[in-house]
Each structure stands twice: as C-alpha cells, then as structure tokens.
Amino acid sequence: MSKSLQAIRGMNDILPEQTPLWRYFEGSVARLLDNYGYKQIRMPIVEFTELFKRSIGEVTDIVEKEMYTFEDRNGDSLTLRPEGTAACVRAVLEHGITGGGQVQKLWYIGPMFRHERPQKGRYRQFHQIGLEVFNLDGPDIDAELIIMTWRLWGELGIRDAVKLELNSLGTSESRGRYREALVEYLSAHHDKLDEDSQRRLKTNPLRVLDTKNADTQAVLVDAPKMADYLDDESRAHFEGLKARLDAVGIPYVLNPKLVRGLDYYSKTVFEWVTDKLGAQGTVCAGGRYDGLVEQMGGKPTPGVGFAMGIERLVLMLETLEQIPQEISRQVDVYLCAFGEEAELAGLALAERVRDELPNLRLQVNAGAGSFKSQFKKADKSGALYALILGDDEMAQQVVGFKPLRGQGEQQSIAWDALAAHLATCVVQG
Ligand code: ATP
Ligand code: MG
C-alpha cells in the first residue's frame, strides 16, 4: 500500500479485536461517573487556535510544539484540540451554565491531538476521558475526584499497580513568590542546567522541576521547595484534601516536583502513575485551576478536573491481564438454517426471540452454506449455543439447540418455547 494511503504516524486504528476492551473500559468509567452525578458534555474537536494559546499558555510544550494548527478556507487559524479543558471552559462560558455560581460537574470523552514522538503509550491522536467541576472551591471536591478514580482502579483490578502523587502549587500569588525564589536559585546554577531547562528558566521556570535530565535533577535537590511558599489558604486546602484521602484510606505520596505541563493549575495537582508501562507512566492527571475561567473572559469561577489517557489504561488492563472473560465473547447464540424455507422461518423466529430477549446477542447465519460450513462459522463466532433449522426441524416446528462449549446433548425446542428456554441458559449482560 502506498505510504500516502496509510494512516498518519501516531494515529491508530482501533481494530475490532481491540474494541471490546475499549468499550468495557469506557462503559466502566461512564457508569461510575453517572453514579457520582456527573453529566456528559460533548465539544467540537476543532477550535480557534487562540483558545488554546490563551488557556494552556503560550510557553507550554503543547502550544509551542505539539499542536495541529492549520488555516481553514476562511483564513481562520484552527487547531485540533490537544486537550479538553479549554473547550469545556469555552462551552460553559458560551452557554452561561456556570453563571451565578451554578455548580457543574461535567465529563467528556474523545480524541485529542498532539504532535509528539510516537512510542508505546504516546500517540499523535490519543483518547481521553476528562472531567471538570465548576464553582466548588473546597478540598472536598478535589478529594471526590481522586476517590472516584481510586474506585475505578479497584473496579478494573489495577489498583495495586498505580500510585497517587500529590502536590499543591498554591495560589497565583504564592506561586509567583516561589517562582522568583526558584529563578534566583537556578540562575545561580545556570551553567549546570541542560539546554531545555535554561530556556525554560526564562519562559516557564516551574517546568524545570519536571526535567528528566540527571544533571539538572542534581541541581534541583537543594532548590527552594514550593511547600515553604504556600500561603495559609492553600496550605489549609491541601491539608483538607489529605485528611479526606486519609479518611477513605487512599495512599498517596507527596511530590514537590509535580508541576504539570499546563500553565493554568493552582493549589491541588495530582497524577496517578504506574511503573507497568515503561516511560509513559502517567495514566491520569489533573488539578485545580481557579484562575482559568477568569483568564478566558468569564467571572471568577473555581474549577478542578482531570483527564485520563484511554490508550495507557487499556494497555494496563492488557499488561496486567485484567480482561474480564465475558467481553471476549460477543455472540451468545448462532442460528444456522438449511434451505430457503428454513432460512425464512429462521429469520422470523430470530425476530420473535429478539422481541422477548432484547439483550440476547443472537447472530443469524448469512450467506447460506452447507451444514459443515455453517457449523464452523457458529463455532468461530464464539457462541455458546447453535440453533439449527433443517428439514426435520421444519416439519416438527422445532429448533435444534446444541451447546457449543462443554457438555450437553442437542435437544429439540418448540418454536414457541425457544425464548423462554434461552432465557434460562444465557446470562444476559
Ligand atoms: P505526559 O507527561 O505523559 O506527556 P501530559 O502531562 O502531557 O502527559 P495531560 O495533558 O495531563 O498529559 O493529559 C492527561 C493524560 O492523557 C495523561 O496522563 C496521559 O495518560 C494521556 N496522554 C497525554 N498525552 C498523550 C499522548 N500523546 N498519547 C497517549 N496518551 C496521552
Ligand atoms: Mg505531554
């Protein structure tokens, strides 16, 4: 196949053999969020470039080098969304649904786009489930976000493989004072910093804390600590969060170097990290952004949220072999019919059964075929049972009911009794 007809590097097809696990994961999250009272919002995938510059920050990695930006036919600069928070804030402002202090607890799911170097767990089109809460400023809601994810890891069977890292960035005032102290310290060690960090020192000094460079990390050992610069309010907020996590029994480690890649965070920041995926270890990340809505032209509105990377979490389920058995089977019952008359009767019978058992996964053979070939297809479908309609069954108005996995002889079931019989042998999801 010629290169220009292939998928773009870092943008993946999710093939039919993979989608059951994706749907299981997405369904688990959706159910959890429903149960906690969160509502789904759906935003466009493309926004004006300005939106991301303004919210994420001009000197972040995302805006500096990762965005898919293009001019449309009107000459407007548009960008494929690299994350969801900016568009979510735009949407709530545009529709006035956070006005007058209205609390909104929202979530979204969908593809995000960043021009990064593709590797395991890092792609150019990837998928996130994100969540944003507006107009609640206490540590209780920060805690709820973390508690929900903790429950999710438990339900998915990956709780032992993830670790919660926490930090507080303080208010913008305390962060400002800290930034000054950090810049002063790092400037005194300028020559020992890697090139990237030297640049960041001028543009976005807090991001130096996030460096992977060993020499710079050595310099950072004695750097001023954010915790020493926290204002009383941020400190109380952080203590409130920790007390709630302790009350529920959620372990965490404090990571003073956790700053997050986006500019808009304040107070709480957190990441769920794993050592099961190699270098791309963060599976869910978020924090509080009390200044963002105002920065984007709204009234001061506290906000807090997170986003999880679906690819990384699906990879984790695979790596840890936490794949529920039920999801690999997509067919309960496979109906084989031999001859035109049987085929017509089979179609009608299948619809009757579906009327009565709307959750039954019933597949009707298509493309006719010999006894042998239809049986082979029934077996390959993964179905638990085959239903057989041949001349004999037609004459007696019955259907052959044959277990395909494990024991049990073939039996004949009257057409009228079929749905009731199936209801007793197939556990329906
Ligand atoms: P990283 O440090 O891994 O680049 P990030 O801080 O840029 O992550 P966020 O913007 O916080 O990531 O996005 C939230 C989550 O989305 C991440 O924790 C990760 O699970 C996922 N994610 C981010 N970028 C990618 C990507 N390029 N490919 C796959 N998943 C990603
Ligand atoms: Mg990144």
Side-chain angles (χ1 to χ4, degrees):
M1 195 184 215
S2 91
K3 192 112 197 298
S4 58
L5 295 180
Q6 290 176 7
I8 295 164
R9 193 163 115 83
M11 304 203 178
N12 300 312
D13 299 306
I14 298 154
L15 294 173
E17 69 199 44
Q18 302 168 295
T19 49
L21 188 55
W22 278 68
R23 290 180 60 182
Y24 158 70
F25 174 77
E26 292 164 358
S28 304
V29 184
R31 192 169 357 91
L32 179 97
L33 296 174
D34 283 346
N35 292 351
Y36 276 83
Y38 287 70
K39 296 199 176 118
Q40 193 184 17
I41 181 168
R42 301 186 184 201
M43 297 87 63
I45 285 172
V46 188
E47 301 271 353
F48 287 120
T49 304
E50 188 55 31
L51 177 74
F52 301 112
K53 287 194 176 165
R54 177 87 78 88
S55 59
I56 298 170
E58 297 262 9
V59 291
T60 55
D61 283 353
I62 293 181
V63 172
E64 273 183 345
K65 50 190 188 202
E66 296 176 358
M67 295 207 303
Y68 279 91
T69 297
F70 59 96
E71 232 176 56
D72 78 354
R73 288 172 194 277
N74 301 330
D76 291 324
S77 178
L78 307 184
T79 293
L80 296 181
R81 63 180 183 192
E83 54 103 59
T85 305
C88 189
V89 168
R90 179 204 48 73
V92 299
L93 282 179
E94 198 163 329
H95 300 283
I97 60 174
T98 49
Q102 288 176 81
V103 171
Q104 292 290 347
K105 297 178 164 188
L106 306 173
W107 69 277
Y108 50 82
I109 178 170
M112 306 292 161
F113 303 85
R114 297 184 195 175
H115 197 274
E116 304 192 72
R117 191 169 70 78
Q119 53 199 290
K120 182 181 170 195
R122 188 175 295 285
Y123 311 100
R124 289 181 173 173
Q125 174 174 332
F126 62 99
H127 298 79
Q128 286 184 338
I129 294 180
L131 177 158
E132 319 289 347
V133 178
F134 298 99
N135 281 317
L136 287 172
D137 61 5
D140 50 353
I141 194 70
D142 302 14
E144 178 169 280
L145 265 47
I146 292 172
I147 291 167
M148 282 195 294
T149 48
W150 171 251
R151 172 163 298 281
L152 179 66
W153 314 144
E155 285 177 7
L156 296 173
I158 59 173
R159 198 182 260 179
D160 293 339
V162 289
K163 194 175 74 173
L164 174 63
E165 300 198 345
L166 272 189
N167 192 20
S168 174
L169 300 178
T171 55
S172 63
E173 297 81 52
S174 59
R175 202 163 55 257
R177 284 190 291 120
Y178 173 64
R179 189 183 293 119
E180 267 173 45
L182 184 68
V183 169
E184 191 182 316
Y185 172 85
L186 291 176
S187 303
H189 298 81
H190 190 267
D191 296 346
K192 293 191 213 119
L193 304 178
D194 63 284
E195 214 174 294
D196 235 18
S197 297
Q198 289 181 347
R199 192 175 52 85
R200 282 187 172 143
L201 181 55
K202 297 204 189 67
T203 56
N204 194 352
L206 257 54
R207 290 283 284 156
V208 176
L209 298 176
D210 202 27
T211 183
K212 304 276 183 293
N213 182 280
D215 297 332
T216 304
Q217 280 176 344
V219 172
L220 286 170
V221 171
D222 296 317
K225 302 276 176 289
M226 182 74 227
D228 300 326
Y229 289 77
L230 284 187
D231 52 293
D232 291 346
E233 186 202 331
S234 301
R235 200 181 302 271
H237 188 103
F238 200 34
E239 291 308 316
L241 170 60
K242 289 190 274 183
R244 285 168 175 84
L245 298 180
D246 292 338
V248 182
I250 301 179
Y252 50 84
V253 288
L254 300 181
N255 177 359
K257 292 190 184 147
L258 184 64
V259 289
R260 311 279 310 112
L262 299 83
D263 261 0
Y264 49 59
Y265 288 104
S266 57
K267 291 186 180 158
T268 310
V269 287
F270 67 91
E271 287 192 2
W272 285 101
V273 297
T274 179
D275 56 10
K276 307 289 181 206
L277 298 179
Q280 318 317 321
T282 305
V283 294
C284 174
R288 181 162 279 285
Y289 48 83
D290 290 343
L292 179 63
V293 175
E294 198 179 4
Q295 184 183 315
M296 289 175 63
K299 297 229 166 64
T301 305
V304 59
F306 66 68
M308 54 180 98
I310 302 182
E311 280 81 358
R312 290 185 195 178
L313 284 157
V314 166
L315 257 172
M316 260 192 100
L317 294 175
E318 287 168 346
T319 309
L320 299 174
E321 297 181 12
Q322 291 296 328
I323 303 177
Q325 230 177 351
E326 326 71 270
I327 70 165
S328 52
R329 188 167 50 77
Q330 289 175 61
V331 181
D332 297 321
V333 181
Y334 193 101
L335 189 149
C336 309
F338 307 97
E340 197 181 327
E341 201 191 335
E343 194 187 314
L344 298 182
L347 276 183
L349 184 60
E351 289 312 306
R352 270 174 64 190
V353 168
R354 287 177 174 130
D355 285 342
E356 286 185 51
L357 303 175
N359 293 323
L360 184 76
R361 292 170 299 184
L362 168 59
Q363 194 165 319
V364 175
N365 182 74
S370 67
F371 192 80
K372 200 173 149 199
S373 83
Q374 290 200 35
F375 243 73
K376 220 165 149 183
K377 286 196 273 179
D379 190 49
K380 213 172 150 209
S381 76
L384 297 174
Y385 303 99
L387 300 177
I388 301 150
L389 271 179
D391 293 345
D392 290 351
E393 286 82 9
M394 288 300 293
Q396 297 170 50
Q397 307 246 307
V398 296
V399 59
F401 177 86
K402 185 176 164 54
L404 294 174
R405 325 274 144 200
Q407 274 76 30
E409 290 298 302
Q410 180 169 332
Q411 359 168 0
S412 294
I413 313 280
W415 290 353
D416 288 339
L418 181 60
H421 183 73
L422 287 172
T424 64
C425 28
V426 182
V427 186
Q428 293 174 58

Short mmCIF file of all heavy atoms in Angstrom, two decimals, residues 223-266:
data_model
loop_
_atom_site.label_atom_id
_atom_site.label_comp_id
_atom_site.label_asym_id
_atom_site.label_seq_id
_atom_site.Cartn_x
_atom_site.Cartn_y
_atom_site.Cartn_z
N ALA A 223 17.09 22.97 45.67
CA ALA A 223 16.29 24.13 45.25
C ALA A 223 15.22 24.46 46.29
O ALA A 223 14.84 23.59 47.08
CB ALA A 223 15.64 23.83 43.90
N PRO A 224 14.76 25.70 46.33
CA PRO A 224 13.66 26.04 47.24
C PRO A 224 12.46 25.15 46.97
O PRO A 224 12.26 24.70 45.84
CB PRO A 224 13.33 27.51 46.89
CG PRO A 224 14.39 27.98 45.96
CD PRO A 224 15.18 26.81 45.48
N LYS A 225 11.68 24.88 48.02
CA LYS A 225 10.52 23.99 47.90
C LYS A 225 9.22 24.79 47.91
O LYS A 225 9.03 25.66 48.76
CB LYS A 225 10.49 22.99 49.06
CG LYS A 225 11.75 22.13 49.16
CD LYS A 225 11.68 20.92 48.24
CE LYS A 225 12.95 20.10 48.26
NZ LYS A 225 14.13 20.72 47.61
N MET A 226 8.34 24.45 46.98
CA MET A 226 7.03 25.11 46.90
C MET A 226 6.32 25.10 48.25
O MET A 226 5.69 26.09 48.65
CB MET A 226 6.18 24.38 45.84
CG MET A 226 4.81 24.96 45.60
SD MET A 226 4.84 26.51 44.68
CE MET A 226 3.72 27.48 45.67
N ALA A 227 6.43 23.96 48.94
CA ALA A 227 5.70 23.81 50.21
C ALA A 227 6.03 24.94 51.19
O ALA A 227 5.18 25.35 51.99
CB ALA A 227 6.02 22.46 50.84
N ASP A 228 7.26 25.46 51.12
CA ASP A 228 7.66 26.52 52.04
C ASP A 228 7.09 27.89 51.64
O ASP A 228 7.22 28.85 52.38
CB ASP A 228 9.20 26.62 52.11
CG ASP A 228 9.80 25.32 52.60
OD1 ASP A 228 9.15 24.65 53.44
OD2 ASP A 228 10.90 24.95 52.13
N TYR A 229 6.51 27.95 50.48
CA TYR A 229 5.99 29.24 49.99
C TYR A 229 4.47 29.29 49.96
O TYR A 229 3.88 30.27 49.56
CB TYR A 229 6.55 29.54 48.59
CG TYR A 229 8.01 29.87 48.64
CD1 TYR A 229 8.97 28.87 48.79
CD2 TYR A 229 8.44 31.20 48.59
CE1 TYR A 229 10.31 29.18 48.87
CE2 TYR A 229 9.79 31.51 48.67
CZ TYR A 229 10.72 30.50 48.80
OH TYR A 229 12.04 30.81 48.88
N LEU A 230 3.85 28.20 50.35
CA LEU A 230 2.38 28.15 50.29
C LEU A 230 1.77 29.18 51.24
O LEU A 230 2.20 29.30 52.39
CB LEU A 230 1.86 26.76 50.67
CG LEU A 230 1.99 25.64 49.64
CD1 LEU A 230 1.25 24.40 50.15
CD2 LEU A 230 1.46 26.07 48.29
N ASP A 231 0.77 29.88 50.77
CA ASP A 231 0.01 30.78 51.63
C ASP A 231 -0.88 29.95 52.54
O ASP A 231 -1.11 28.77 52.30
CB ASP A 231 -0.83 31.71 50.75
CG ASP A 231 -1.64 30.90 49.76
OD1 ASP A 231 -1.03 30.28 48.85
OD2 ASP A 231 -2.87 30.83 49.92
N ASP A 232 -1.44 30.57 53.59
CA ASP A 232 -2.22 29.82 54.58
C ASP A 232 -3.43 29.14 53.95
O ASP A 232 -3.76 28.00 54.28
CB ASP A 232 -2.71 30.77 55.69
CG ASP A 232 -1.54 31.25 56.53
OD1 ASP A 232 -0.45 30.64 56.42
OD2 ASP A 232 -1.71 32.23 57.28
N GLU A 233 -4.08 29.84 53.05
CA GLU A 233 -5.29 29.28 52.45
C GLU A 233 -4.98 28.01 51.65
O GLU A 233 -5.65 26.99 51.77
CB GLU A 233 -5.91 30.34 51.53
CG GLU A 233 -7.24 29.97 50.94
CD GLU A 233 -7.54 30.77 49.68
OE1 GLU A 233 -7.06 31.92 49.57
OE2 GLU A 233 -8.23 30.23 48.81
N SER A 234 -3.91 28.07 50.85
CA SER A 234 -3.53 26.90 50.06
C SER A 234 -3.10 25.76 50.96
O SER A 234 -3.40 24.59 50.69
CB SER A 234 -2.37 27.24 49.12
OG SER A 234 -2.74 28.28 48.26
N ARG A 235 -2.42 26.12 52.03
CA ARG A 235 -1.96 25.10 52.96
C ARG A 235 -3.16 24.39 53.59
O ARG A 235 -3.22 23.16 53.66
CB ARG A 235 -1.09 25.75 54.04
CG ARG A 235 -0.16 24.80 54.77
CD ARG A 235 0.63 25.55 55.83
NE ARG A 235 1.42 26.64 55.27
CZ ARG A 235 2.67 26.48 54.82
NH1 ARG A 235 3.24 25.31 54.86
NH2 ARG A 235 3.32 27.52 54.32
N ALA A 236 -4.14 25.19 54.02
CA ALA A 236 -5.34 24.61 54.65
C ALA A 236 -6.09 23.74 53.64
O ALA A 236 -6.59 22.66 53.97
CB ALA A 236 -6.25 25.72 55.18
N HIS A 237 -6.16 24.20 52.40
CA HIS A 237 -6.83 23.45 51.35
C HIS A 237 -6.14 22.09 51.17
O HIS A 237 -6.79 21.04 51.10
CB HIS A 237 -6.78 24.26 50.04
CG HIS A 237 -7.59 23.68 48.93
ND1 HIS A 237 -8.82 24.17 48.56
CD2 HIS A 237 -7.35 22.63 48.09
CE1 HIS A 237 -9.29 23.46 47.55
NE2 HIS A 237 -8.41 22.52 47.25
N PHE A 238 -4.83 22.14 51.12
CA PHE A 238 -4.05 20.91 50.89
C PHE A 238 -4.22 19.95 52.07
O PHE A 238 -4.41 18.74 51.87
CB PHE A 238 -2.57 21.29 50.70
CG PHE A 238 -1.76 20.24 50.00
CD1 PHE A 238 -2.32 19.45 49.00
CD2 PHE A 238 -0.42 20.05 50.32
CE1 PHE A 238 -1.56 18.48 48.34
CE2 PHE A 238 0.35 19.09 49.66
CZ PHE A 238 -0.22 18.30 48.68
N GLU A 239 -4.19 20.51 53.29
CA GLU A 239 -4.40 19.65 54.47
C GLU A 239 -5.79 19.03 54.43
O GLU A 239 -5.98 17.87 54.78
CB GLU A 239 -4.22 20.46 55.78
CG GLU A 239 -2.78 20.91 56.05
CD GLU A 239 -1.77 19.75 55.98
OE1 GLU A 239 -2.07 18.67 56.52
OE2 GLU A 239 -0.70 19.93 55.36
N GLY A 240 -6.77 19.83 54.00
CA GLY A 240 -8.15 19.33 53.91
C GLY A 240 -8.25 18.17 52.93
O GLY A 240 -8.96 17.18 53.19
N LEU A 241 -7.55 18.29 51.83
CA LEU A 241 -7.56 17.20 50.85
C LEU A 241 -6.93 15.95 51.43
O LEU A 241 -7.48 14.85 51.36
CB LEU A 241 -6.81 17.65 49.59
CG LEU A 241 -6.52 16.55 48.56
CD1 LEU A 241 -7.81 15.92 48.04
CD2 LEU A 241 -5.71 17.11 47.38
N LYS A 242 -5.78 16.11 52.05
CA LYS A 242 -5.07 14.95 52.59
C LYS A 242 -5.91 14.26 53.67
O LYS A 242 -5.96 13.03 53.72
CB LYS A 242 -3.70 15.38 53.15
CG LYS A 242 -2.72 15.75 52.03
CD LYS A 242 -1.31 15.93 52.54
CE LYS A 242 -1.08 17.34 53.03
NZ LYS A 242 0.30 17.59 53.48
N ALA A 243 -6.58 15.07 54.52
CA ALA A 243 -7.41 14.49 55.58
C ALA A 243 -8.51 13.61 54.97
O ALA A 243 -8.84 12.55 55.49
CB ALA A 243 -8.02 15.59 56.44
N ARG A 244 -9.08 14.06 53.86
CA ARG A 244 -10.17 13.29 53.22
C ARG A 244 -9.64 12.01 52.59
O ARG A 244 -10.28 10.97 52.64
CB ARG A 244 -10.89 14.17 52.21
CG ARG A 244 -11.80 15.17 52.91
CD ARG A 244 -12.32 16.25 51.99
NE ARG A 244 -13.26 17.10 52.70
CZ ARG A 244 -12.91 18.14 53.46
NH1 ARG A 244 -11.63 18.48 53.60
NH2 ARG A 244 -13.83 18.85 54.09
N LEU A 245 -8.48 12.11 51.98
CA LEU A 245 -7.90 10.89 51.40
C LEU A 245 -7.56 9.89 52.51
O LEU A 245 -7.80 8.69 52.37
CB LEU A 245 -6.65 11.23 50.57
CG LEU A 245 -6.89 12.14 49.36
CD1 LEU A 245 -5.58 12.40 48.63
CD2 LEU A 245 -7.93 11.55 48.42
N ASP A 246 -7.05 10.42 53.63
CA ASP A 246 -6.75 9.55 54.76
C ASP A 246 -8.02 8.89 55.28
O ASP A 246 -8.04 7.71 55.60
CB ASP A 246 -6.09 10.35 55.90
CG ASP A 246 -4.68 10.84 55.52
OD1 ASP A 246 -4.08 10.23 54.61
OD2 ASP A 246 -4.21 11.82 56.13
N ALA A 247 -9.10 9.68 55.34
CA ALA A 247 -10.36 9.15 55.88
C ALA A 247 -10.87 7.98 55.04
O ALA A 247 -11.44 7.02 55.56
CB ALA A 247 -11.42 10.26 55.93
N VAL A 248 -10.66 8.05 53.73
CA VAL A 248 -11.14 6.98 52.85
C VAL A 248 -10.08 5.87 52.72
O VAL A 248 -10.37 4.78 52.24
CB VAL A 248 -11.51 7.56 51.46
CG1 VAL A 248 -12.05 6.51 50.53
CG2 VAL A 248 -12.54 8.67 51.62
N GLY A 249 -8.88 6.17 53.16
CA GLY A 249 -7.82 5.16 53.09
C GLY A 249 -7.12 5.09 51.75
O GLY A 249 -6.73 4.02 51.30
N ILE A 250 -6.99 6.24 51.11
CA ILE A 250 -6.29 6.26 49.82
C ILE A 250 -4.84 6.70 50.05
O ILE A 250 -4.58 7.81 50.49
CB ILE A 250 -6.98 7.24 48.84
CG1 ILE A 250 -8.43 6.80 48.63
CG2 ILE A 250 -6.22 7.29 47.51
CD1 ILE A 250 -9.22 7.71 47.71
N PRO A 251 -3.89 5.81 49.75
CA PRO A 251 -2.49 6.20 49.94
C PRO A 251 -2.01 7.18 48.89
O PRO A 251 -2.51 7.17 47.76
CB PRO A 251 -1.74 4.87 49.83
CG PRO A 251 -2.67 3.91 49.19
CD PRO A 251 -4.06 4.46 49.23
N TYR A 252 -1.06 8.03 49.26
CA TYR A 252 -0.51 9.00 48.30
C TYR A 252 0.93 9.30 48.67
O TYR A 252 1.34 9.04 49.79
CB TYR A 252 -1.32 10.30 48.29
CG TYR A 252 -1.55 10.89 49.66
CD1 TYR A 252 -0.58 11.70 50.27
CD2 TYR A 252 -2.72 10.61 50.35
CE1 TYR A 252 -0.79 12.22 51.54
CE2 TYR A 252 -2.93 11.12 51.63
CZ TYR A 252 -1.97 11.92 52.21
OH TYR A 252 -2.17 12.41 53.47
N VAL A 253 1.67 9.80 47.72
CA VAL A 253 3.00 10.32 48.05
C VAL A 253 3.04 11.78 47.63
O VAL A 253 2.46 12.17 46.62
CB VAL A 253 4.12 9.54 47.33
CG1 VAL A 253 4.30 8.16 47.92
CG2 VAL A 253 3.86 9.43 45.85
N LEU A 254 3.71 12.58 48.44
CA LEU A 254 3.83 14.00 48.11
C LEU A 254 5.01 14.13 47.15
O LEU A 254 6.10 13.60 47.41
CB LEU A 254 4.06 14.82 49.38
CG LEU A 254 2.94 14.69 50.41
CD1 LEU A 254 3.24 15.55 51.63
CD2 LEU A 254 1.59 15.09 49.80
N ASN A 255 4.78 14.80 46.07
CA ASN A 255 5.85 15.00 45.09
C ASN A 255 5.99 16.49 44.81
O ASN A 255 5.26 17.06 44.01
CB ASN A 255 5.52 14.25 43.79
CG ASN A 255 6.57 14.49 42.72
OD1 ASN A 255 7.53 15.24 42.94
ND2 ASN A 255 6.40 13.86 41.57
N PRO A 256 6.94 17.13 45.50
CA PRO A 256 7.08 18.60 45.37
C PRO A 256 7.48 19.03 43.96
O PRO A 256 7.38 20.21 43.64
CB PRO A 256 8.18 18.95 46.38
CG PRO A 256 8.87 17.67 46.72
CD PRO A 256 7.91 16.55 46.44
N LYS A 257 7.91 18.07 43.12
CA LYS A 257 8.31 18.44 41.76
C LYS A 257 7.18 18.32 40.76
O LYS A 257 7.35 18.58 39.57
CB LYS A 257 9.48 17.57 41.32
CG LYS A 257 10.73 17.86 42.12
CD LYS A 257 11.91 17.16 41.50
CE LYS A 257 13.14 17.37 42.34
NZ LYS A 257 14.01 16.20 42.28
N LEU A 258 6.02 17.88 41.25
CA LEU A 258 4.90 17.71 40.33
C LEU A 258 4.32 19.08 39.99
O LEU A 258 3.79 19.78 40.86
CB LEU A 258 3.82 16.85 41.02
CG LEU A 258 2.60 16.49 40.19
CD1 LEU A 258 3.01 15.63 39.01
CD2 LEU A 258 1.60 15.73 41.05
N VAL A 259 4.49 19.50 38.73
CA VAL A 259 4.01 20.84 38.35
C VAL A 259 3.00 20.80 37.21
O VAL A 259 2.28 21.75 36.97
CB VAL A 259 5.17 21.77 37.95
CG1 VAL A 259 5.98 22.13 39.18
CG2 VAL A 259 6.05 21.14 36.89
N ARG A 260 2.94 19.69 36.47
CA ARG A 260 2.01 19.55 35.35
C ARG A 260 2.44 20.44 34.17
O ARG A 260 3.05 21.47 34.33
CB ARG A 260 0.58 19.86 35.74
CG ARG A 260 0.12 19.17 37.00
CD ARG A 260 -0.31 17.73 36.76
NE ARG A 260 -1.23 17.64 35.66
CZ ARG A 260 -0.95 17.07 34.49
NH1 ARG A 260 0.18 16.48 34.28
NH2 ARG A 260 -1.84 17.06 33.54
N GLY A 261 2.07 19.98 33.00
CA GLY A 261 2.56 20.66 31.80
C GLY A 261 1.78 21.90 31.41
O GLY A 261 2.21 22.66 30.56
N LEU A 262 0.64 22.11 32.02
CA LEU A 262 -0.19 23.21 31.58
C LEU A 262 -0.07 24.35 32.58
O LEU A 262 0.15 24.14 33.76
CB LEU A 262 -1.65 22.76 31.44
CG LEU A 262 -1.84 21.64 30.40
CD1 LEU A 262 -1.54 20.27 30.96
CD2 LEU A 262 -3.24 21.65 29.85
N ASP A 263 -0.23 25.54 32.08
CA ASP A 263 0.01 26.73 32.90
C ASP A 263 -1.08 27.03 33.91
O ASP A 263 -0.88 27.76 34.84
CB ASP A 263 0.10 27.95 31.97
CG ASP A 263 1.55 28.31 31.71
OD1 ASP A 263 2.43 27.62 32.25
OD2 ASP A 263 1.78 29.28 30.96
N TYR A 264 -2.27 26.46 33.69
CA TYR A 264 -3.40 27.04 34.41
C TYR A 264 -3.66 26.47 35.80
O TYR A 264 -4.62 26.82 36.45
CB TYR A 264 -4.67 26.97 33.56
CG TYR A 264 -5.00 25.63 32.92
CD1 TYR A 264 -5.19 24.49 33.68
CD2 TYR A 264 -5.17 25.55 31.54
CE1 TYR A 264 -5.53 23.29 33.09
CE2 TYR A 264 -5.51 24.35 30.93
CZ TYR A 264 -5.69 23.22 31.72
OH TYR A 264 -6.03 22.05 31.12
N TYR A 265 -2.82 25.57 36.27
CA TYR A 265 -3.12 24.94 37.56
C TYR A 265 -2.81 25.83 38.75
O TYR A 265 -1.92 26.67 38.71
CB TYR A 265 -2.38 23.62 37.69
CG TYR A 265 -2.97 22.55 36.80
CD1 TYR A 265 -2.35 22.16 35.63
CD2 TYR A 265 -4.18 21.95 37.14
CE1 TYR A 265 -2.91 21.20 34.81
CE2 TYR A 265 -4.75 20.98 36.33
CZ TYR A 265 -4.12 20.61 35.17
OH TYR A 265 -4.67 19.67 34.37
N SER A 266 -3.57 25.63 39.84
CA SER A 266 -3.31 26.30 41.11
C SER A 266 -3.71 25.33 42.22
O SER A 266 -4.50 24.42 41.99
CB SER A 266 -4.15 27.57 41.22
OG SER A 266 -5.53 27.26 41.08
#
